[in-house]
């Protein structure tokens, strides 16, 4: 029997909202990465890429799995999804996946910094 961490258990609506927002964020960054590498691509393909790594992140957090294992699994699933959806070579798939990681980190850091700045504003 697996015991969930006390801090990870929450309201199901809040958990679903977290997964949904994270999936949306990863879908947007996947589209930016694919568009950067491939040019004009369909937006709906990116909405298939985002939910898989988001679900892996939430499940690994809920069960207290190793973050390194979760990141490796999420990147692998991301690469497989990109490969299957965009039907490109392994090399180009790896490049799109790398750009997706970089765009996610940069955009995530910018949004987190903006949220922190706005929350620390006086008044």
């Amino acid at each position: 029997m697996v015991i969930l961490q006390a801090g990870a258990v929450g309201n199901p609506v809040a958990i679903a909202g977290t997964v949904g927002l994270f999936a949306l964020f990863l879908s947007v960054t996947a589209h930016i990465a694919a568009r950067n590498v491939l040019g004009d691509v369909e937006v709906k393909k990116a909405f298939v890429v985002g939910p898989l790594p988001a679900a892996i992140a939430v499940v690994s957090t809920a069960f207290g799995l190793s973050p390194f294992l979760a990141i490796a699994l999420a990147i692998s699933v991301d690469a497989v999804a990109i490969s299957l959806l965009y039907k490109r070579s392994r090399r180009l798939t790896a490049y799109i996946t790398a750009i997706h990681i970089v765009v996610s980190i940069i955009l995530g850091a910018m949004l987190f910094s903006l949220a922190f700045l706005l929350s620390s504003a006086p008044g």
Side-chain angles (χ1 to χ4, degrees), residues 66-77:
S66 167
F68 299 111
L69 177 66
I71 291 171
L73 182 62
I75 290 172
S76 299
V77 168

Side-chain angles (χ1 to χ4, degrees), residues 101-111:
I101 294 166
V102 170
V103 169
S104 297
I105 291 171
I106 291 172
L107 190 59
M110 287 175 47
L111 292 174

Side-chain angles (χ1 to χ4, degrees), residues 13 37 70 77 83 101 113:
V13 175
V37 176
V77 168
S83 176
I101 294 166
S113 298

Side-chain angles (χ1 to χ4, degrees), residues 45-73:
K45 287 184 179 180
F47 284 106
V48 176
V49 176
L52 300 172
I56 291 169
V58 172
V59 168
S60 69
T61 301
F63 287 105
L65 300 176
S66 167
F68 299 111
L69 177 66
I71 291 171
L73 182 62

Side-chain angles (χ1 to χ4, degrees), residues 22-34 37-38 44-57 69-105:
F22 194 40
L24 178 64
F25 172 77
L26 289 175
S27 295
V28 168
T29 57
H31 180 67
I32 291 170
V37 176
L38 301 175
K44 57 185 166 179
K45 287 184 179 180
F47 284 106
V48 176
V49 176
L52 300 172
I56 291 169
L69 177 66
I71 291 171
L73 182 62
I75 290 172
S76 299
V77 168
D78 191 41
V80 168
I82 288 171
S83 176
L84 292 175
L85 288 170
Y86 295 106
K87 296 180 179 23
R88 302 297 174 164
S89 67
R90 287 185 183 183
R91 188 176 192 145
L92 198 54
T93 298
Y95 186 60
I96 295 169
T97 305
I99 297 296
H100 184 208
I101 294 166
V102 170
V103 169
S104 297
I105 291 171

